[in-house]
Amino acid sequence: MQIRTMENKDLNQILAIEEKSFASPWSREAMEEEIKNPLACYLVLEEQDEVYAYGGMWMILDEAHITNIAVRPQNRGEGWGNFLLYAMLEQAKKSKMNAITLEVRESNNIARRLYEKYGFKECGRRKAYYENREDALIYWNVFREEKK
Ligand SMILES: CC(C)(COP(=O)(O)OP(=O)(O)OC[C@H]1O[C@@H](n2cnc3c(N)ncnc32)[C@H](O)[C@@H]1OP(=O)(O)O)[C@@H](O)C(=O)NCCC(=O)NCCS
């Protein structure tokens, strides 16, 4: 398994995983923009040209914001989410981020457990954030307190 940054050649597979994973999947155009976005960092887990998982974040000033993370359905529960999230946290720390945040559906217990395992703490809520009016929980993981 190799981990590397997302490229245009990955998009067919990534969009197929998006469709199966999210009620409002990202479009090809949005993903193409992310590949060009200098503030975005998308990582892909790939073996023999097969994409197993991907995750992205924006890095703005000293804060990273995870935009999406997904493992292809037939390979969930095999540790790839662990592997990917760990790599994303390492990347954020290497890029001198002080903290990382994300939103997650309140009902997404699997993702919430994954985030909590890596030190994310629930810090807030966005009411009716999703298309079905479900609330988003806001999680933060602070690596370093900002020096005043
Ligand atoms: C959330 C997701 C990325 C996790 O990836 P995964 O490869 O299935 O997870 P892993 O096998 O690496 O497990 C990582 C942790 O997730 C949690 N987890 C995984 N499967 C679980 C299950 N069936 N029940 C409860 N917790 C579970 C556990 O905390 C697990 O840690 P452990 O191995 O120490 O028990 C994956 O399920 C996914 O793509 N879901 C759909 C998209 C999504 O919801 N993304 C998150 C949006 S915020």
Side-chain angles (χ1 to χ4, degrees), residues 4 15 17 26 42 70 84 88 92-93 120-121:
R4 55 166 177 78
L15 291 165
I17 300 172
W26 283 34
Y42 278 73
L84 182 63
M88 291 170 75
K93 289 175 193 169
F120 284 82
K121 303 265 186 281

Side-chain angles (χ1 to χ4, degrees), residues 10 13 21 44 70 73 81 91 100 102 104 115 119 140 143:
D10 301 319
Q13 291 186 71
S21 303
V44 168
Q91 182 63 53
I100 185 161
L102 55 85
V104 59
Y115 301 138
W140 278 94
F143 312 139

